[in-house]
Amino acid sequence: AQSVAQPEDQVNVAEGNPLTVKCTYSVSGNPYLFWYVQYPNRGLQFLLKYITGDNLVKGSYGFEAEFNKSQTSFHLKKPSALVSDSALYFCAVRDGGATNKLIFGTGTLLAVQP
Amino acid sequence: DAGVTQSPTHLIKTRGQQVTLRCSPKSGHDTVSWYQQALGQGPQFIFQYYEEEERQRGNFPDRFSGHQFPNYSSELNVNALLLGDSALYLCASSLAQPGLAVGTDTQYFGPGTRLTVL
């Protein structure tokens, strides 16, 4: 079965510093990987996805993610964190089969200190 | 371009009651998925509708049922509510794109409906 793991419940970073939110995956077949962000009491906003091609994927709000097949990782990164980036981040993988059902990780809370 | 909309935003019910949640997909989208997000957890897939039929179902009991209408909007119904059904219910829409591999399309989520069961 497909799965993703987010090993850190919380990541703390100072404003202006680079940030990384980690995600590892386990899939059979080609991995289709996604990152979403959730602000308090809100739905999920799509940031970026990896389907195929370049291992560095650029997304919304200055975020990017690096796909590493040998390490089965898909870490989310941003060169310079903003206080407004503070939110809950979810990594997800497509489950396979005949639909685009997503399997989500448990989420990582990003706290950016001013 | 309107995004995914859901109604109501909040709902309070008591155990044993029934509830209906509604979702309008993003303009041009034809596929609707429902997810349940319990407090402190990631979203869990309930089911997906395409062409007015349930195409895939997650590990949820039959108390959870749904419907998709010809205009692609969707409803989620939950019968015999339990305390454990308290959660944020998220609707996501996407567009199946011919010629592309299944699963490459992006799901866009609505703001959710917060259901509280007392």
Side-chain angles (χ1 to χ4, degrees):
Chain A
Q2 324 287 60
S3 66
V4 291
Q6 295 182 244
E8 301 158 316
D9 291 335
Q10 183 163 339
V11 170
N12 298 304
V13 64
E15 187 174 30
N17 284 358
L19 69 87
T20 298
V21 182
K22 296 179 180 178
C23 173
T24 59
Y25 65 89
S26 174
V27 303
S28 55
N30 294 322
Y32 298 159
L33 298 157
F34 301 78
W35 275 102
Y36 287 85
V37 60
Q38 185 174 38
Y39 294 96
N41 299 313
R42 302 285 297 277
L44 276 67
Q45 295 179 27
F46 170 72
L47 286 176
L48 50 80
K49 66 182 179 183
Y50 173 82
I51 303 300
T52 187
D54 194 349
N55 289 341
L56 185 63
V57 180
K58 294 190 181 298
S60 305
Y61 314 119
F63 284 93
E64 57 190 26
E66 186 172 8
F67 172 72
N68 188 316
K69 187 174 182 178
S70 62
Q71 297 185 6
T72 61
S73 66
F74 188 56
H75 300 333
L76 181 71
K77 300 182 179 184
K78 188 175 183 182
S80 179
L82 300 173
V83 172
S84 58
D85 292 330
S86 299
L88 190 56
Y89 291 80
F90 287 98
C91 180
V93 65
R94 183 230 169 186
D95 188 44
T99 75
N100 59 359
K101 169 188 172 183
L102 292 175
I103 303 296
F104 284 86
T106 51
T108 298
L109 183 63
L110 174 66
V112 181
Q113 284 88 34
Chain B
D1 179 22
V4 180
T5 60
Q6 293 186 242
S7 64
T9 55
H10 294 85
L11 206 51
I12 299 175
K13 293 285 188 179
T14 57
R15 282 179 297 174
Q17 285 189 311
Q18 178 265 343
V19 68
T20 297
L21 311 181
R22 296 176 175 82
C23 171
S24 291
K26 186 176 170 67
S27 178
H29 284 185
D30 58 5
T31 303
V32 173
S33 302
W34 287 92
Y35 291 81
Q36 180 196 65
Q37 186 180 16
L39 198 62
Q41 304 291 321
Q44 301 286 318
F45 178 81
I46 302 175
F47 42 53
Q48 183 177 94
Y49 279 84
Y50 174 69
E51 293 188 339
E52 302 180 49
E53 292 192 358
E54 183 182 290
R55 191 160 70 168
Q56 188 175 6
R57 187 178 186 90
N59 188 26
F60 280 81
D62 292 344
R63 298 187 297 108
F64 289 77
S65 63
H67 189 78
Q68 186 179 35
F69 300 93
N71 67 353
Y72 306 117
S73 67
S74 178
E75 289 182 349
L76 164 65
N77 300 290
V78 187
N79 295 322
L81 285 167
L82 303 174
L83 295 179
D85 295 332
S86 295
L88 181 66
Y89 288 85
L90 296 164
C91 170
S93 74
S94 57
L95 174 64
Q97 300 191 33
L100 295 182
V102 175
T104 59
D105 48 315
T106 300
Q107 293 187 48
Y108 292 91
F109 285 78
T113 294
R114 173 73 64 186
L115 172 64
T116 301
V117 182
L118 302 177

